[in-house]
Amino acid sequence: MSMRYEMVFTCFLRGDTPESVLNTLRWHMSLRADRPGTVSADEHPFPLLTPNSNSETHLAGGELSRLVPQSRGSRDVWGLFVRISWPEEILEESVSILELLAPHVDEPGYGGYFRPEAGAWPSVYMFREGTYDVTGPMSDFRQDFDAMAGSQHPATFWQ
């Protein structure tokens, strides 16, 4: 039996995120049945963000996948939150999701994490300037962040 990973993607996408990106996310989340015409089977071979309603999931509280319109002050955005379990064999597929999200993230900063289900420390996704970085485990990330940020407030550090 392969190792399983807890995968969390969380961010706000700008209100002007192209419909093709939103439809791709909806397809990955099984909120639409048909693969959008703009989605390559090579790049996105199968839906990746569909929660397992099976009670055998090992994630406390179960799996969840949401994409909802929201307001952040005077801006309209799309709130994305996904928490699912992936087998180790598809872990590298997270790149296609991160590359889909990164150019449309509303503000730089934290974007989620992944960790072995039995692990204590996650590796963290950070969005910045239309791309992303993966840093971890969390204990190393915290030390690196504190060293780089110094006395700056985290919200201003990534801008």
Side-chain angles (χ1 to χ4, degrees), residues 34-147:
D34 59 319
R35 178 191 305 268
T38 57
V39 176
S40 157
D42 292 333
E43 189 176 351
H44 301 273
F46 47 85
L48 293 167
L49 305 177
T50 302
N52 181 354
S53 60
N54 184 336
S55 62
E56 294 179 26
T57 186
H58 295 349
L59 299 180
E63 299 182 15
L64 179 67
S65 197
R66 301 270 323 250
L67 178 65
V68 295
Q70 294 179 269
S71 292
R72 294 188 80 195
S74 62
R75 294 187 322 273
D76 291 331
V77 295
W78 288 93
L80 173 74
F81 183 80
V82 176
R83 182 173 174 260
I84 54 177
S85 176
W86 278 3
E88 185 173 26
E89 295 80 35
I90 69 167
L91 192 59
E92 66 190 33
E93 296 294 333
S94 64
V95 170
S96 64
I97 299 300
L98 292 166
E99 288 177 350
L100 181 69
L101 298 174
H104 309 287
V105 170
D106 187 51
E107 290 184 358
Y110 175 79
Y113 65 87
F114 71 96
R115 70 173 177 86
E117 285 184 350
W121 298 107
S123 293
V124 175
Y125 307 127
M126 298 296 292
F127 292 115
R128 177 175 33 163
E129 299 173 4
T131 189
Y132 66 93
D133 294 310
V134 180
T135 313
M138 185 59 130
S139 58
D140 294 338
F141 170 77
R142 183 79 254 165
Q143 291 169 4
D144 292 346
F145 182 86
D146 288 345

